[in-house]
Amino acid sequence: MYFNWLTARFRFSSPISRATADSGTQTTVNIIQDRGTLDKLCGNAENRAPYKEREVRDHPWMFANVTKNELVRCLGPNDIGQTAKLVTYRGGYKVICTYSWKQVEDPTIYVPGTPARWTPPDTLRKLNPDEGRHWIDQHATRAAVHQFEPLLQALFVANPELRFDDIDIVINRTTLLNLLKFVSKKSVQAFHFTLDLIGKTLFVGRKVAHAKGSPAEGSCGHNFEKEFTTEDPDLEHAEGHHRVLLYSFGGLRIIVRIEVDAYVEIDSEPASTSDPSASSENGPTQNIAHSGPYRTTVIKGGRTISQENIMELKSNQTQVPKDQMWFGRTPYCGLGSFPQKHPRDYAKGKVEVKQMSMGDFETWEKENQLGLQKLVWLLEELRNVTKENGAAIAVFLGKDEPRPEGAAEGSKKPDPSLRVYTAKDKVGALPDEIVEKFWSGK
């Protein structure tokens, strides 16, 4: 057999202040202006000035909604504290809703939707390189203003009784992975995200330069997915399946949105499970009417697939992406690999399905415990900063962060910092009508 199944089973300080109007409440913005406070909060890094014109010129999309010179916090990797609590996979998780996007002009989702099914071909062959433009983040276009609006619309169908009063963080997996790399001094790519607070719940919104991008030269990742998976034939024009998990993360109750590549059928157990959102009569259903610029239409359709059958796909990789699977509570991974002299030719390489056991997850979290504890601390710090200053934008330039003014060309750059600025336009994480549905007293 050309792929291998593993048999292990999966278990489970004197800043200047000004008052701003933010969602009808008065918020004091603590703008760092004097040098002593700036040095204190920014780890004495000479390059961590509030604002640099060349940074804006090189990364205009990151600074588009930044209020000029209103830096309220900046942190280098050495400035990050850590929680004393153990961060562990144990304690379980809950899939609170799932949905698949539909390829139509107006934003539309299937709930519960269905991920693509792992259906490897009988004969392996060489694949063509990817062409065209592919999604980096579907929400960047289909929910450009309130990117978590589709999640809440899906939740309104799948789990309408859930309330967010005791939820600490709502975030997507990609941002969690970026922040873990940052606190672990492994990050090199620039990224930024939005920060909004509803009650005690911090929404961390991913931002990208372009919703779609061109594939890397020679890549065949998308063609790999097409060759080895099959979409649900009952979901017309479905693309991109997303799942929303609720679990404890070092004492924080967090909701994590993940994108799923596929699911795999296991002989000993069915992939489908019963769910109140699944219906024998698929079709349009009621969603939450609101005054926001984008309103997602919800269609009942698809099958609820157990999280124990979910898998990641990697077209040319021999190592399991343990960090991605840990945050996504994803047990399986389909790995394709081929010799360097035969690119994209799986007939001369191999494709195998690997499974992460509970022991594998525990080994990974033990090896990365310090980084995970620092990440918990950082999320709490970002929530405190947002509570004190209102809606904000966090910017991390990574390897693109410039040298300090006057530094010699070729001199070593200091560790890049994560900088938080007040947001110019404060639109909020969600429309008010949705907030009223999921928070008590709002």
Side-chain angles (χ1 to χ4, degrees), residues 12 89-94 246-248 329:
F12 303 114
Y89 190 96
R90 292 191 178 275
Y93 62 88
K94 183 178 181 181
L246 169 62
Y247 54 81
S248 176
R329 303 310 194 241

Side-chain angles (χ1 to χ4, degrees), residues 325-358:
M325 296 172 73
W326 190 92
F327 281 109
R329 303 310 194 241
T330 304
Y332 291 99
C333 183
L335 298 175
S337 61
F338 41 77
Q340 188 174 2
K341 60 182 178 180
H342 297 290
R344 302 180 299 278
D345 191 349
Y346 294 102
K348 293 182 172 59
K350 63 179 180 178
V351 176
E352 57 184 347
V353 173
K354 294 189 175 182
Q355 185 179 21
M356 288 277 284
S357 67
M358 178 62 78

Side-chain angles (χ1 to χ4, degrees), residues 109-124:
I109 57 175
Y110 291 106
V111 176
T114 312
R117 183 164 60 94
W118 176 251
T119 54
D122 293 332
T123 303
L124 292 178

Side-chain angles (χ1 to χ4, degrees), residues 37-244:
T37 302
L38 185 63
D39 284 344
K40 180 180 178 181
L41 294 181
C42 298
N44 298 304
E46 293 298 324
N47 68 323
R48 296 173 197 166
Y51 199 92
K52 287 193 173 130
E53 296 299 337
R54 68 179 183 274
E55 294 173 358
V56 180
R57 183 185 65 244
D58 294 340
H59 303 84
W61 61 282
M62 285 190 169
F63 289 87
N65 196 32
V66 164
T67 303
K68 186 172 182 177
N69 285 331
E70 290 195 5
L71 174 69
V72 293
R73 194 75 167 99
C74 66
L75 294 160
N78 294 329
D79 304 321
I80 306 297
Q82 67 184 91
T83 182
K85 297 179 180 178
L86 183 70
V87 183
T88 177
Y89 190 96
R90 292 191 178 275
Y93 62 88
K94 183 178 181 181
V95 181
I96 59 174
C97 67
T98 64
Y99 60 94
S100 298
W101 282 105
K102 184 178 182 180
Q103 299 178 61
V104 290
E105 184 175 352
D106 295 326
T108 304
I109 57 175
Y110 291 106
V111 176
T114 312
R117 183 164 60 94
W118 176 251
T119 54
D122 293 332
T123 303
L124 292 178
R125 61 188 180 89
K126 183 177 180 178
L127 300 183
N128 293 322
D130 293 336
E131 295 180 345
R133 295 174 64 81
H134 302 277
W135 287 111
I136 297 172
D137 185 355
Q138 292 171 291
H139 297 80
T141 292
R142 292 169 170 166
V145 177
H146 300 115
Q147 65 175 266
F148 290 106
E149 187 263 1
L151 186 161
L152 274 295
Q153 294 285 15
L155 195 62
F156 184 62
V157 174
N159 206 341
E161 301 304 316
L162 190 144
R163 293 295 175 266
F164 278 63
D165 301 275
D166 64 344
I167 301 299
D168 295 298
I169 308 289
V170 180
I171 193 169
N172 70 83
R173 176 174 56 185
T174 300
T175 303
L176 280 172
L177 291 169
N178 283 335
L179 291 176
L180 178 62
K181 291 175 183 176
F182 162 65
V183 300
S184 304
K185 297 185 180 182
K186 297 177 181 179
S187 182
V188 293
Q189 290 186 326
F191 62 88
H192 89 303
F193 50 87
T194 60
L195 298 166
D196 289 282
L197 201 65
I198 301 176
K200 65 172 284 189
T201 310
L202 176 67
F203 282 78
V204 183
R206 182 189 184 194
K207 304 295 285 186
V208 294
H210 304 287
K212 287 186 174 183
S214 300
E217 184 177 358
S219 169
C220 64
H222 293 281
N223 285 334
F224 180 79
E225 291 186 20
K226 290 178 182 179
E227 180 79 4
F228 286 84
T229 66
T230 302
E231 295 286 352
D232 187 338
D234 295 329
L235 298 185
E236 185 181 22
H237 302 310
E239 65 167 358
H241 182 73
H242 300 265
R243 302 173 77 83
V244 185

Side-chain angles (χ1 to χ4, degrees), residues 10-23:
F10 173 69
R11 301 282 186 255
F12 303 114
S13 294
S14 52
I16 297 176
S17 299
R18 68 170 174 82
T20 64
D22 186 5
S23 302

